[in-house]
Amino acid sequence: MAAKSDSGKRQIIKKAARELFFHFGFTKTSMDDIAKQSDLAKPTLYYYYSNKEALFQEIVLEEAEHFVDQVVESIPEDLTADKQLAMFFQTMHAGLKQHVKEMETLPDYLCEHSPHGEPIEEHLNELMKQKILPILQRGQESSVFHIKDLDVCAEALVYMTEFLSLDWIKNIPRKKQDKIVSESIEIMITGITRRGL
């Protein structure tokens, strides 16, 4: 019963924080504001989240997981593993481009971010790795891919595609982006279908 109550309170806090971050931006939103918006006492808020950054980062990770899950769900199961992997990265790129386009209409203060730091990057990289691994395993089992170490290969693919970020998409011309993403995908897939790792 307590676990359900804890989960419910966390959801209330995150919903309130999302609304405030969207309306006022990260910097102008305080823990006091979030406590008032969620109709909870400030000590209760601090019981669940040690600070605003921890709360923001949990929201970012949930949003990222939801986004990547949608990418995976959009990939047809009947495609060969090499086509699934290509579609995974193409769909990620398309989704990030759409997100950047939506952000262009928002005031600058709404697009600011808290400092993510290494811990959140590690979580995001691990999330990506876990979503890529099943595709690599299917490819290995069907002899489409020739991989010495699936875990290392998945990690390498994640690091090779770290450039796919909102900042990169905002700063690189669209046509050039598409060419770079296509070429990167081709290089990666060629590497694991022909040469092996």
Side-chain angles (χ1 to χ4, degrees), residues 49-103:
Y49 296 98
S50 58
N51 55 46
K52 183 172 66 166
E53 285 77 11
L55 175 54
F56 183 84
Q57 289 180 2
E58 187 170 315
I59 291 169
V60 168
L61 286 172
E62 280 185 4
E63 297 288 336
E65 188 161 356
H66 177 69
F67 171 67
V68 178
D69 283 343
Q70 286 184 315
V71 168
V72 171
E73 288 165 17
S74 73
I75 301 171
E77 289 181 24
D78 59 344
L79 291 180
T80 57
D82 56 335
K83 300 224 181 328
Q84 286 183 332
L85 191 61
M87 190 170 180
F88 177 86
F89 289 115
Q90 288 162 347
T91 308
M92 286 282 296
H93 180 229
L96 289 171
K97 278 199 299 190
Q98 181 59 37
H99 188 63
V100 166
K101 190 175 181 181
E102 290 165 5
M103 287 173 62

Side-chain angles (χ1 to χ4, degrees), residues 89-90 92-93 96-97 100 121 125 128 156-173 176-188:
F89 289 115
Q90 288 162 347
M92 286 282 296
H93 180 229
L96 289 171
K97 278 199 299 190
V100 166
E121 285 177 23
N125 287 343
M128 288 285 289
L157 293 175
V158 168
Y159 286 115
M160 288 166 65
T161 56
E162 270 192 330
F163 69 88
L164 277 177
S165 67
L166 296 177
D167 284 339
W168 183 79
I169 289 169
K170 277 195 268 186
N171 295 311
I172 303 294
K176 190 173 182 181
Q177 279 179 42
D178 294 340
K179 286 179 183 176
I180 291 170
V181 170
S182 294
E183 186 68 19
S184 299
I185 291 168
E186 189 176 330
I187 291 167
M188 289 185 297

Side-chain angles (χ1 to χ4, degrees), residues 6 77 141:
D6 282 352
E77 289 181 24
E141 289 163 8

